[in-house]
């Protein structure tokens, strides 16, 4: 069942990528006389001149009916892709109904893959991966359906989105370190192409920075996985088996090195200050749905790794480094908030609030993993809060980035000073923006509040001073979101925006789906907290 | 003489059966030569078919020998172990693909029949190198592989880049051949025999430790092997050959000799006595220098073929991690063989794309390739992502086991160096891929022909397949060893 949730979108993506192209290809299949391999000239010399032949004029296909047809084709493709993207959501909803909350891995599916090296195809879920996978599926459905400038290449765009969806869900469901790493790496390759080909601004440069930086994180991760693997006996990449073996229990230089490898890998992905510099350009230059996925889903891979691998497989090492980790988290909280406050660019502002929110998550995790006795109850609350924050941030920031995409599509810029008074002009846009912003700043009754309250309630018991300092971040975040709302929505409406269109139906439906979940979790979080508690309690009480 | 020799090294017909794949290559090469001499010009392409049939037969003979007990034959001078046999198979696969790439490239060349003879003899040189367990055998194999390589590189007689590449390749080859001969002579003098087995139990004579005296001849021999595999300090021919040689020949020469060279290097260090010489550190330093130099130099290339040449140098550096780990990690031999497999497939696939694009090599020529030739762009992307080490492609498994072997051997720092280098390498691979995928240029891109396309896509498919279905290879590689007795 879970395998279908991973591979239905991936297979659909491959099919979509291999589909024969439409009209533009036809002009290219001009027959050219082969000229290769004469004794005197290697084809290398001659190839250039042939390639330089003038292209036949391709203006013909820009006529109006053809454009209409192309647009209809894009719409059909988008509808089909959205339908495929919804399949994993349905499957995960079914899995939710069948989930029992035993504390172990459930609905496990396993097969031999590379037994020589102890690698298996193993997927399953627990109270940590189920909410994250479900959130991932929801964000992807909305992101796939959301309108975007396809640059005349719909098939590869939707193929990459679906591929990324399968890989992201696979990462959260993988119960094998090797499989985890496979999904980790392919997801960043897919994101690289999404940013590079459909981004704006200096997209290629941002994409390259993203690729190099996050790949630089995945290599220490690979070395750490190898380091952990080499200590298992019998050798295996099986997560459940490694958690049971605890091969690096106790301290030691080797364990610290392995910890360092994992830490760098996850800290870059999360991202923790000072490993965050890839994030702002990638978020700003990516197309809005990709930004939503990047912030909503891909960042969670880092924090998920902190819990799934570092806390569960090397709790001793984690406890030893929990305090410095908490300090880094507080730095990220305050730094992210302050830098976000200084932004005039809407998307950059949201990007930096991600740094701030991921700080909350890490603070909660550090408190939960700290090796001090007597605080198990508070630590469980912190872990539950951190997990909930991952889900809430995925929904809220996903919505915020999609909104920024809608604003860009209408106004052509992210500069907040260019706007104003939109509240009187675009009601749905205003409602969505206000709701998402308040959720992000932690208004009670919305998902962000539940999560942040638990993180700080837990952290105050473990690291009272650090948690107190972190509260500053909440205040600054509130200020910056209120300022953002004021700049965008209030004040006089510039005359050139007097025809500013409101959100279209697809946009309203997508944002409503995300924000409804935000309200639901905020008002009645018990159904979600029960699931999360089923893993958080046992993990902390170890 | 030992037991294995008694069983396998005395009866002449049994010995011939031991080297059936090699014998088939010789017969096939001669048959191709005779065909090329007597066939009319329009039928010269038939030589390619003949050569391909030879490779297939030789591979079939090799496969039938897999799983046999491992032993030395011809009086302890030639190894019939799993490493040699798998090395032979990798050489033959790359050769078959190179033949496919050559067919459309040389179609207009009226005298290209003999080209395939050279290709087969060069492959034979690499095969002999992979099996050599004796220094004289080693010299013979090296010379056969190099001499044919020089001609292949310079095959376009009237092309000045090809001539320049051939001259550079030849000069460097001549220097290192000289050093090889001196080294082998010194080793012979020290040990009193040329079989590798003798090195292991070398006696101490004249008050000077012979083990210390080993260092100079070994350095001289390793120099020649560095030339063969494209490692620092004898790597300089790689970019020139990649850029100047006929593209199918470049695919062959940057791939096939390296396989034989790597396997002989592994055999040589396995035969070294004890820990008298700290060859691990020496090889680790060579690996560091090779991958770093290869990657840094590749960063600045605006010529895709030259970039591929430097990328080959850096790949050699990663491969040397397996040599460092030999004898101290179970993963060493699997990682060596898997690396050679992944490298051969990826490298021939990447050059295959260049060939199919009629040798176009300027970086600008690749802009918009994903729109005009999506399949070729895809093949290039898969080859490059495999070089970077993105799962689940073959190159990723190669790096996984290479790094694992290095860490297990206590050379974690070397694995870290490899990881840092990998990050650097992304930049230049992306310098080709980004314009290919993000460029908007739409212009007709002529391609060469069906044979080259088939060979390229088969290699590309194998890059994916050897990664996703790595198990049979890894299991086979885990069960083989290097036989010295």
């Amino acid at each position: 069942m879970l395998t279908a949730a991973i591979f239905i979108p991936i297979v659909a993506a491959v099919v979509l990528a291999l589909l024969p192209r439409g009209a533009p290809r036809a002009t290219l299949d001009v027959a050219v006389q082969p000229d290769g391999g004469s004794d005197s000239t290697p084809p290398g010399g001659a190839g250039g001149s042939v390639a330089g032949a003038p292209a036949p004029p391709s203006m013909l296909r820009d006529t109006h009916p053809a454009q209409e047809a192309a647009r209809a084709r894009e719409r059909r493709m988008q509808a089909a892709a959205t339908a495929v993207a919804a399949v994993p959501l349905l499957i995960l909803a079914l899995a939710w109904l069948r989930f029992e909350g035993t504390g172990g891995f459930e609905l496990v599916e396993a097969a031999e893959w590379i037994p020589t090296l102890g690698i298996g195809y193993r997927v399953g879920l627990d109270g940590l991966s189920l909410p994250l996978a479900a959130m991932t599926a929801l964000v992807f459905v909305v992101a796939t359906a959301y309108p975007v400038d396809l640059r005349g290449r719909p098939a590869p765009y939707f193929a990459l989105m679906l591929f990324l969806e399968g890989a992201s869900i696979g990462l959260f469901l993988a119960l094998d370190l090797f499989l985890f790493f496979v999904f980790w790496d392919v997801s960043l390759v897919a994101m690289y192409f999404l940013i590079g080909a459909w981004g704006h601004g200096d997209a290629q440069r941002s994409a390259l920075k993203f690729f190099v930086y996050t790949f630089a994180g995945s290599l220490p991760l690979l070395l750490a996985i190898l380091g952990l693997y080499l200590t298992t006996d019998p050798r295996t990449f099986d997560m459940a088996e490694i958690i049971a073996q605890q091969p690096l229990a106790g301290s030691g230089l080797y364990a610290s090195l392995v910890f360092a490898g994992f830490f760098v890998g996850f800290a870059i992905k999360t991202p923790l200050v000072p490993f965050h510099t890839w994030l702002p350009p990638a978020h700003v230059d990516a197309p809005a749905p990709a930004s939503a996925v990047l912030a909503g889903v891909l960042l969670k891979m880092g924090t998920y790794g902190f819990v799934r691998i570092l806390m569960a497989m090397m709790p001793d090492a984690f406890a030893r480094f929990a305090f410095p980790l908490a300090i880094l988290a507080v730095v990220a909280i305050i730094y992210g908030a302050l830098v976000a406050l200084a932004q005039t660019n809407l998307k950059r502002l949201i990007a930096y609030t991600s740094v701030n929110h991921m700080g909350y998550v890490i603070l909660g995790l550090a408190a939960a993993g700290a090796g001090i006795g007597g605080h198990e109850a508070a630590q469980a609350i912190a872990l539950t809060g951190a997990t909930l924050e991952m889900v809430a941030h995925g929904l809220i920031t996903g919505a915020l980035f999609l909104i920024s995409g809608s604003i860009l599509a209408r106004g052509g810029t992210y500069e907040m000073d260019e706007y104003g008074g939109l509240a009187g002009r675009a009601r749905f846009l205003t409602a969505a923006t206000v709701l998402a912003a308040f959720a992000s700043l932690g208004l009670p009754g919305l998902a962000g509040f539940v999560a942040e309250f638990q993180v700080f309630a837990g952290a105050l018991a473990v690291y009272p001073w650090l948690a107190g300092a972190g509260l500053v971040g909440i205040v600054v975040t509130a200020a910056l979101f209120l300022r953002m709302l004021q700049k965008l929505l209030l004040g006089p409406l510039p005359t050139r925006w007097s025809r500013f269109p409101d959100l279209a139906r697809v946009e309203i439906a997508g944002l409503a789906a995300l924000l409804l979940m935000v309200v639901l979790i905020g008002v009645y979080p018990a159904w979600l907290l029960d699931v999360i508690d089923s893993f958080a309690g046992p993990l902390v009480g170890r | 003489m030992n037991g294995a020799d008694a069983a396998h090294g005395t009866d002449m017909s049994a010995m011939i059966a031991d080297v059936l794949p090699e014998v088939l290559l010789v017969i096939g090469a001669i048959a191709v030569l005779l065909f090329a001499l007597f066939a009319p010009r329009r039928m010269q392409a038939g030589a390619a078919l003949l050569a391909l049939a030879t490779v297939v037969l030789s591979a079939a003979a090799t496969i039938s020998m897999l799983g046999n007990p491992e032993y030395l034959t011809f009086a302890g001078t030639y190894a019939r172990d799993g490493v040699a046999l798998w090395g032979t198979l990798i050489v033959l696969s790359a050769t078959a693909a190179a033949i496919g790439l050559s067919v459309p490239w040389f179609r207009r060349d009226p005298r290209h029949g003999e080209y395939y003879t050279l290709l087969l003899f060069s492959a034979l040189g690499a095969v002999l190198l992979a099996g050599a367990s004796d220094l004289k055998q080693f010299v013979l194999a090296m010379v056969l592989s190099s001499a044919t390589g020089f001609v292949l590189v310079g095959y376009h007689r009237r092309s000045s880049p090809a001539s320049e590449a051939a001259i550079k390749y030849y000069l460097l080859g001549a220097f290192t051949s000289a050093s090889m001969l001196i080294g082998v002579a010194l080793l012979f003098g020290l040990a009193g025999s040329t079989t590798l087995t003798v090195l292991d139990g070398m006696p101490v004579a004249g008050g000077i430790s012979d083990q210390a005296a080993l260092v100079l001849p070994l350095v001289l021999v390793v120099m020649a092997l560095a030339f063969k595999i494209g490692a620092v300090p004898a790597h300089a021919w790689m970019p020139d050959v990649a850029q100047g040689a006929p593209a199918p020949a470049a695919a062959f020469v940057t791939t096939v000799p390296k396989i034989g060279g790597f396997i002989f290097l592994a055999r040589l260090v396995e035969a070294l006595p004890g820990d008298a010489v700290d060859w691990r550190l020496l090889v680790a330093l060579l690996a560091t220098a090779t991958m770093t130099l290869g990657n840094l130099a590749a960063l600045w290339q605006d010529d895709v073929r030259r970039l591929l040449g430097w990328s080959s140098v850096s790949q050699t550096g990663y491969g040397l991690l397996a040599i460092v780990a030999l004898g101290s990690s179970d993963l060493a031999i699997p990682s060596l063989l898997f690396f050679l497999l992944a490298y051969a497939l990826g490298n021939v696939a990447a050059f295959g794309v260049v060939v199919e694009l009629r040798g176009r090599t300027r970086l600008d020529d690749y802009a918009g390739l994903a729109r005009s030739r999506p399949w070729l762009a895809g093949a290039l992307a898969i080859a490059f992502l495999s070089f970077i080490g993105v799962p689940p492609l073959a190159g990723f498994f190669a790096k996984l086991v290479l790094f694992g072997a290095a860490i297990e051997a206590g050379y974690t720092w070397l694995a870290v160096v490899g990881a840092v280098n990998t990050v650097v390498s992304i930049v230049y691979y992306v310098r080709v891929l980004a314009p290919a995928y993000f460029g908007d240029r739409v212009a007709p891109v002529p391609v060469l022909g069906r044979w080259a396309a088939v060979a390229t896509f088969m290699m590309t498919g194998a890059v994916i397949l050897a990664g996703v279905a790595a198990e049979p290879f890894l299991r086979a590689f885990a069960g083989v060893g290097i036989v010295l007795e």
Side-chain angles (χ1 to χ4, degrees), chain A residues 301-519:
Chain A
M301 295 178 178
T303 50
Y304 173 79
F306 269 105
V307 185
R308 175 64 81 227
I309 293 176
L310 284 178
M311 284 179 78
M313 295 178 193
M314 338 179 37
D316 296 338
F318 191 92
R320 204 145 28 100
F321 293 104
F323 186 64
L325 196 59
I327 294 178
L328 275 183
V330 172
V331 170
I333 289 172
I334 297 175
Y335 175 86
L338 287 178
V339 178
L341 185 64
Q343 300 306 317
T344 55
N345 178 312
L346 174 62
K347 225 175 172 188
R348 245 184 137 73
L349 178 145
I350 304 172
Y352 274 106
T353 64
S354 285
V355 175
N356 158 276
H357 279 84
M358 290 296 103
Y360 299 145
V361 177
I362 299 297
L363 179 63
L365 296 183
I372 42 173
H375 289 294
E376 279 79 9
Q379 289 182 309
I381 289 178
L383 184 52
T384 307
T387 310
L388 189 58
E389 176 75 45
M390 295 185 214
V391 176
H393 178 261
L395 299 170
I396 298 168
T397 306
L400 279 172
F401 273 121
L402 291 176
I403 290 170
S404 75
S406 296
I407 291 178
L408 178 77
R410 287 161 176 76
T413 173
Y414 288 129
E415 286 302 319
M416 291 186 285
D417 293 334
E418 302 283 317
Y419 298 97
L422 295 181
R425 183 63 218 145
R427 277 178 304 139
F428 285 107
L429 179 71
T430 305
T433 313
V434 169
L435 191 58
F438 277 123
S440 190
L441 67 79
L443 189 76
L446 298 171
F449 172 75
V450 186
E452 282 158 34
F453 179 80
Q454 297 210 29
V455 165
F456 279 99
L460 275 169
V462 182
Y463 299 123
W465 288 102
L466 280 175
L471 284 170
V472 174
I474 293 201
V475 179
V476 179
T477 317
L480 74 92
F481 272 117
L482 292 175
R483 205 178 56 111
M484 175 192 103
L485 290 178
Q486 182 219 333
K487 280 190 177 175
L488 285 179
L489 306 175
L490 306 178
L493 181 75
T495 46
R496 64 200 159 107
W497 301 138
S498 59
R499 302 181 70 98
F500 199 88
D502 201 354
L503 294 181
R505 232 175 304 162
V506 184
E507 295 168 300
I508 295 172
L511 292 173
L514 293 176
L515 294 173
L516 221 74
M517 291 306 296
V518 171
V519 175

Side-chain angles (χ1 to χ4, degrees), chain B residues 96-350:
Chain B
I99 292 172
L101 296 183
S102 306
V103 171
W105 186 279
F106 290 101
R107 183 165 288 141
R108 295 269 187 94
D109 188 331
R111 48 165 199 114
H112 72 282
E114 67 217 46
Y115 166 86
Y116 296 102
T117 302
L118 289 167
L119 214 55
L120 289 179
F121 272 124
S122 194
L124 177 66
V127 168
L128 292 177
L129 201 49
S133 188
D134 179 278
L135 291 170
K136 282 181 296 206
Q137 170 78 29
F138 160 66
V139 170
L140 192 80
M142 287 285 276
V143 171
L144 180 59
S145 160
S146 298
T148 47
F150 303 146
V151 186
L152 287 173
V153 170
Y155 207 79
H156 288 313
R157 278 178 305 178
R158 284 170 226 159
S159 150
S160 53
S163 308
E164 186 190 332
I167 293 285
K168 282 188 183 168
Y169 190 31
Y170 173 73
L171 283 179
L172 208 53
F175 280 129
T176 53
S177 280
S179 96
M180 166 181 76
L181 288 172
I182 297 169
V184 166
L186 285 172
L187 281 175
F188 179 44
L190 283 169
S193 164
T194 52
T195 54
L196 291 183
T197 327
V198 180
L199 289 181
D200 201 357
M202 278 200 16
V204 176
I208 309 163
S209 161
D210 278 346
Q211 295 182 334
L214 267 177
V215 173
L216 176 65
L218 276 179
V219 166
L220 290 172
V221 169
V222 167
M223 191 78 104
L225 282 168
F227 164 75
K228 194 97 294 205
I229 65 178
V232 169
H235 62 281
W237 59 274
M238 274 260 180
D240 290 315
V241 165
Q243 184 181 15
F252 180 87
V253 172
T254 56
T255 308
V256 169
K258 197 183 267 195
I259 300 165
F262 256 107
I263 290 178
F264 184 80
L265 182 60
R267 221 176 272 287
L268 182 69
V269 299
E270 280 276 274
L272 289 182
D275 288 326
V277 189
D278 195 359
W279 55 267
R280 275 180 219 282
L281 185 63
L282 182 76
V283 177
L285 292 176
L286 275 187
T288 306
T290 304
M291 57 181 136
T292 311
L293 185 75
N295 279 325
L296 291 182
L299 284 178
W300 315 112
Q301 303 307 325
D302 289 321
D303 181 295
V304 173
R305 283 200 236 172
R306 201 166 176 84
L307 184 148
L308 276 173
W310 281 114
S311 137
S312 293
V313 173
S314 76
Q315 293 286 323
T316 295
Y318 301 125
L320 286 172
L321 265 65
I323 306 290
V324 172
L326 269 178
S328 49
S329 167
D330 295 341
L331 292 172
I333 288 178
S335 68
L336 174 66
L337 288 174
F338 206 93
F339 160 76
L340 291 175
L341 176 71
Y343 169 74
L345 297 176
N347 203 46
V348 176

Side-chain angles (χ1 to χ4, degrees), chain A residues 86-103:
Chain A
V87 173
L89 186 62
L90 286 177
I91 294 175
L92 288 164
L94 279 178
W96 199 297
L97 294 177
R98 287 173 55 181
F99 182 73
E100 291 170 10
T102 55

